[in-house]
Amino acid sequence: MKITIVGTGYVGLVTGATFAEIGHHVLCVDNNADKIRQLNDLEIPIYEDGLEELVVRNFNNGRLKFSTSIKEGTKFAEVIFIAVGTPPGYRGEANMSYVEKVGREVANNMSSYRLLVEKSTVIVRTSEQLAGTMSKYLKSDIPFEIASNPEFLREGAAIHDAFNPDRIVVGVESEKAAKLLREVYEPIISRSGCEYLEMNIASAELTKHACNSFLAMKISFINAVSRICELTGANIDQVAHGMGLDKRIGPSFLKAGVGYGGSCFPKDVDAFVRMSIEHGYNLDLIKEVQRINIDQREHLMRKLQKELWVVEEKTIAVIGLAFKPGTDDIREAPALYFVPELLSRQAILRLWDPVATNNFRRTYPNLNYCDSIIDCATGADAMLVLTDWPEIQGLDLAQLKTVMKCPIVIDGRNVFSPAQMKRHGFIYDSIGRPTVKN
Ligand code: UGA
């Protein structure tokens, strides 16, 4: 099949490369000329495990092409996926201007039937708005349809998720649209054996926001329980383990920490709350999820402050700048809260991340970026763990203690065990577990 994908961010590029790999002919369109030039030179603008290999292979075999022209994209294929960003708008609502623009441009350029598929995360009933816009901009009475196909892949595991989805959700309202999307996904369904769900468009759109809000709720729930653990002497690792073995609850997304970040949860949870209010229902449940998430990082800051007493002139080793391991994405990363906060308190910062330093440098060009965790911790009065990179697990704790000026570790991801830290003589505070004083 021929498929056009508009937007070459995480979702668009991964989807395009995956569709090409399963045999489709894909044209990826982006209005960012720099990005398209990079891709045509086989430079991958984002870090995602396995993506480069897929892009290179399918570019070289001719099944994956890149262009800046939406006109070309509209001509190229009957099925056009919209995978442009829906970043927070100036009031925090999802900014739909990029999605709307794709609708207008496709309408301007199409001369026969087109199916526009919303892959970007959109609020429920976006399809009606999009259809309205397209009708206004169409030059003649050319047929078109909208479908919804929300994306559930995780950054850092995107390629794996694209080939092995838990389910594929499709919102369609005609047999023609249903047939086209079944044809797109048939190779993935037969390879992975995943469930393929067809539903009406509003349900598909809503499923996406409901999933992300539910997962964020699980994280805030376990973080709230971790606070009770700290007040009562319980241990969150043991409580989460005990909860997760109940099949109705499940063990995933029960890892307590500094709170969720990334380009999706904070934005989508916010958009879900706003959308529900607009439709006449006050989702206070999810507002509380947001409040707990913000409070969690402030709580970690209070822990650091408590151990140091005075932050001014203290050297702090910040471990982890990406919002989670396996990605160089720093959007809504905890580090973007802690770094300015600590700088405003006159702390001296040393920063380490295996892949995200280049992105962080764009906002903070003059900070001290280190090549290894040990280098970062050298001379530090305290170490602050913000991302659970696997590299931290292999650390020589005896060496770490020797290089630090003062052996204080504040762990926002529970990467060390209190017993292990006690044995090595650290002062150690983590989330929802006993503090080690030594
Ligand atoms: C999330 C969803 O998991 C994907 O299904 C969805 O497609 C994606 O958003 C999206 O809407 O595009 P992602 O943002 O890549 O994926 O990251 P997650 O792995 O879900 O982690 C989100 C945040 O939650 C991270 O900051 C992570 O550290 C935090 N988290 C996750 C916890 O604090 N505890 C946990 O137990 C799990």
Side-chain angles (χ1 to χ4, degrees):
M1 260 182 114
K2 282 179 154 187
I3 298 170
T4 291
I5 303 204
V6 186
T8 56
Y10 276 99
V11 170
L13 192 55
V14 170
T15 307
T18 312
F19 283 171
E21 181 73 9
I22 59 175
H24 299 310
H25 287 264
V26 181
L27 179 66
C28 287
V29 176
D30 202 300
N31 62 6
N32 182 333
D34 252 7
K35 227 183 196 185
I36 293 299
R37 182 201 46 76
Q38 269 184 295
L39 286 163
N40 277 322
D41 289 344
L42 291 178
E43 284 168 33
I44 312 300
I46 51 171
Y47 173 84
E48 184 65 46
D49 199 23
L51 180 61
E52 183 169 4
E53 192 191 323
L54 279 195
V55 170
V56 170
R57 182 164 51 241
N58 289 287
F59 184 85
N60 288 336
N61 69 24
R63 285 206 300 263
L64 183 61
K65 293 195 162 69
F66 300 102
S67 167
T68 51
S69 164
I70 190 103
K71 189 173 180 183
E72 192 187 342
T74 308
K75 270 206 183 126
F76 181 77
E78 203 173 34
V79 184
I80 300 172
F81 282 80
I82 306 179
V84 294
T86 53
Y90 69 98
R91 278 182 291 122
E93 79 291 0
N95 176 356
M96 303 306 290
S97 65
Y98 303 109
V99 172
E100 192 257 6
K101 193 164 177 225
V102 175
R104 270 190 286 134
E105 290 182 335
V106 169
N108 270 330
N109 288 296
M110 61 190 257
S111 51
S112 57
Y113 172 87
R114 290 294 177 265
L115 176 65
L116 256 84
V117 188
E118 303 165 346
K119 190 84 163 149
S120 308
T121 299
V122 296
I123 47 179
V124 62
R125 301 185 73 168
T126 292
S127 69
E128 290 166 31
Q129 300 278 5
L130 191 58
T133 293
M134 290 199 55
S135 304
K136 286 181 202 127
Y137 285 84
L138 268 176
K139 290 191 192 97
S140 54
D141 210 8
I142 308 163
F144 72 88
E145 283 183 279
I146 311 287
S148 165
N149 171 220
E151 185 50 71
F152 299 105
L153 51 81
R154 295 161 300 166
E155 286 182 24
I159 303 296
H160 171 271
D161 290 355
F163 287 114
N164 307 281
D166 288 345
R167 74 312 202 186
I168 294 165
V169 171
V170 156
V172 275
E173 278 162 17
S174 80
E175 189 40 47
K176 180 168 184 169
K179 190 166 165 288
L180 280 169
L181 283 174
R182 258 181 251 136
E183 211 178 319
V184 169
Y185 278 111
E186 196 285 321
I188 292 182
I189 302 164
S190 55
R191 263 187 202 202
S192 67
C194 72
E195 292 270 356
Y196 185 77
L197 307 179
E198 282 173 3
M199 54 184 79
N200 70 26
I201 297 176
S203 305
E205 290 170 334
L206 194 57
T207 302
K208 170 69 188 182
H209 269 128
C211 281
N212 274 5
S213 298
F214 188 85
L215 292 170
M217 183 176 74
K218 254 185 130 178
I219 297 168
S220 278
F221 183 87
I222 204 68
N223 282 337
V225 175
S226 79
R227 301 288 283 276
I228 304 170
C229 289
E230 289 175 13
L231 296 169
T232 57
N235 181 321
I236 195 63
D237 293 345
Q238 293 166 6
V239 176
H241 188 55
M243 286 175 65
L245 288 178
D246 185 324
K247 288 194 180 62
R248 295 166 302 175
I249 297 173
S252 59
F253 282 73
L254 285 183
K255 188 148 194 305
V258 62
Y260 59 78
S263 65
C264 303
F265 283 1
K267 164 179 79 88
D268 292 352
V269 164
D270 205 42
F272 196 46
V273 168
R274 284 166 195 277
M275 176 275 296
S276 64
I277 293 169
E278 270 168 33
H279 286 282
Y281 182 73
N282 209 340
L283 248 179
D284 281 342
L285 172 71
I286 304 299
K287 281 190 199 158
E288 189 57 14
V289 167
Q290 295 178 292
R291 190 199 61 76
I292 294 169
N293 197 54
I294 291 168
D295 187 51
Q296 199 61 8
R297 61 193 191 196
E298 289 167 357
H299 182 58
L300 197 72
M301 181 63 89
R302 288 192 290 271
K303 283 175 185 276
L304 179 67
Q305 165 94 52
K306 189 169 157 232
E307 287 308 336
L308 290 174
W309 182 28
V310 171
V311 174
E312 202 180 328
E313 288 183 15
K314 298 280 166 61
T315 300
I316 312 223
V318 178
I319 303 298
L321 305 174
F323 83 95
K324 66 169 189 179
T327 176
D328 64 351
D329 195 342
I330 59 164
R331 286 175 288 178
E332 300 288 331
L336 286 175
Y337 160 76
F338 283 93
V339 166
E341 187 66 31
L342 290 168
L343 288 174
S344 76
R345 296 180 194 204
Q346 265 87 60
I348 301 154
L349 298 185
R350 296 174 67 76
L351 312 174
W352 174 85
D353 192 285
V355 292
T357 44
N358 280 345
N359 284 339
F360 214 80
R361 258 199 195 101
R362 287 194 195 116
T363 316
Y364 293 100
N366 299 321
L367 296 180
N368 197 346
Y369 296 92
C370 306
D371 289 336
S372 70
I373 301 175
I374 290 294
D375 174 25
C376 185
T378 301
D381 296 282
M383 178 166 129
L384 178 65
V385 179
L386 298 180
T387 315
D388 38 350
W389 281 107
E391 284 84 341
I392 305 173
Q393 296 297 338
L395 215 54
D396 178 341
L397 289 175
Q399 188 190 8
L400 179 68
K401 172 134 190 279
T402 320
V403 299
M404 290 181 76
K405 201 188 293 171
C406 184
I408 298 173
V409 176
I410 307 295
D411 184 355
R413 296 292 182 181
N414 287 0
V415 287
F416 302 110
S417 82
Q420 169 193 39
M421 295 307 266
K422 186 165 185 56
R423 249 191 340 270
H424 283 89
F426 285 95
I427 297 161
Y428 177 68
D429 204 357
S430 55
I431 305 285
R433 308 183 303 174
T435 308
V436 173
K437 283 294 175 199
N438 272 305

